[in-house]
Amino acid sequence: QKEVEQNSGPLSVPEGAIASLNCTYSDRGSQSFFWYRQYSGKSPELIMSIYSNGDKEDGRFTAQLNKASQYVSLLIRDSQPSDSATYLCAMTRLGNEKLTFGTGTRLTIIP
Amino acid sequence: DTEVTQTPKHLVMGMTNKKSLKCEQHMGHRAMYWYKQKAKKPPELMFVYSYEKLSINESVPSRFSPECPNSSLLNLHLHALQPEDSALYLCASSLLVGSYEQYFGPGTRLTVT
């Protein structure tokens, strides 16, 4: 079992709809969770971080964390074509300096 | 400001060349990282520096040699690379090592011929 699992996609969502990206993890010691957006040929860009159970909203983005069920998700409201990218879920555990990445979900917003 | 800069943006080198990649941040971060990323794969950690000292080497071949001259600069010296080393090399920084947000630079696209 991979440490961090994401559906590789592609996930196609109509413009203006809600895009829902999911990530599950196996290490119960995981403590901090991050979502990165990566456009083709570019570097990852941090868009959300979440550290405690519940929802965290920032503009059109909402991150959701459920440590009991070991999943973290990212919702993108009012999806725009510019949201088309690969979204990487990443996490760290207490006492570990490494950021563990999922394989990423490719999201395509259809105009 | 969460800017990490990297130079050069692109690099083509032969297998006998010696070259260096440079990374700089002025956010006061004390942790800096080198990652390697192949197409359609997530970034793969290579090295971690904490307070200018190497704290993690992910069993990287010795043809890659990192250096942290001061708290703002990180270099990656390259020598006798192989074609399979062609990839996007990413530098990142965070306030400290651990559960802190990491910010990536734009990367250096390396091609080894």
Side-chain angles (χ1 to χ4, degrees):
Chain A
Q1 183 186 10
K2 293 180 182 176
E3 287 186 72
V4 182
E5 301 224 30
Q6 293 182 256
N7 187 326
S8 62
L11 175 65
S12 296
V13 173
E15 183 176 357
I18 295 175
S20 178
L21 304 161
N22 299 309
C23 175
T24 59
Y25 61 94
S26 59
D27 184 355
R28 286 197 172 273
S30 296
Q31 183 183 36
S32 303
F33 303 84
F34 308 93
W35 283 99
Y36 287 86
R37 177 176 63 197
Q38 188 170 24
Y39 294 113
S40 181
K42 302 295 185 182
S43 65
E45 175 191 7
L46 179 68
I47 53 172
M48 289 288 284
S49 57
I50 186 165
Y51 301 94
S52 55
N53 282 330
D55 294 1
K56 179 182 176 183
E57 188 175 317
D58 184 1
R60 295 187 297 113
F61 298 99
T62 298
Q64 299 175 318
L65 175 60
N66 185 321
K67 289 186 178 180
S69 300
Q70 295 175 249
Y71 81 80
V72 56
S73 62
L74 180 70
L75 302 178
I76 306 175
R77 288 181 299 281
D78 187 24
S79 297
Q80 303 296 309
S82 58
D83 295 326
S84 297
T86 295
Y87 288 81
L88 294 160
C89 169
M91 57 198 66
T92 61
R93 73 186 321 273
L94 186 63
N96 192 322
E97 299 162 358
K98 298 183 192 181
L99 189 59
T100 301
F101 284 92
T103 52
T105 297
R106 188 155 58 92
L107 174 67
T108 300
I109 305 302
I110 304 168
Chain B
D1 183 13
T2 55
E3 188 178 26
V4 177
T5 59
Q6 290 187 244
T7 55
K9 290 184 180 178
H10 301 276
L11 179 62
V12 179
M13 60 185 291
M15 289 189 283
T16 58
N17 291 159
K18 286 185 181 181
K19 295 287 185 184
S20 296
L21 310 184
K22 296 185 184 304
C23 173
E24 191 166 4
Q25 57 87 16
H26 294 288
M27 297 179 278
H29 289 178
R30 303 314 298 268
M32 296 186 77
Y33 311 80
W34 280 114
Y35 289 86
K36 172 183 177 180
Q37 188 176 27
K38 297 281 238 180
K40 301 191 188 304
K41 298 288 188 183
E44 182 185 330
L45 183 66
M46 299 174 73
F47 303 103
V48 179
Y49 273 83
S50 176
Y51 286 92
E52 296 100 75
K53 289 187 172 17
L54 183 66
S55 67
I56 291 182
N57 176 339
E58 288 286 282
S59 301
V60 178
S62 60
R63 56 186 185 268
F64 295 91
S65 175
E67 178 195 20
C68 190
N70 60 55
S71 61
S72 300
L73 292 174
L74 187 65
N75 298 322
L76 186 63
H77 303 297
L78 313 173
H79 172 56
L81 294 192
Q82 304 297 310
E84 58 266 27
D85 297 321
S86 298
L88 180 66
Y89 287 84
L90 296 161
C91 174
S93 72
S94 62
L95 183 62
L96 299 170
V97 294
S99 299
Y100 293 88
E101 298 172 338
Q102 289 188 27
Y103 297 93
F104 285 84
T108 294
R109 177 72 60 186
L110 174 66
T111 302
V112 182
T113 61

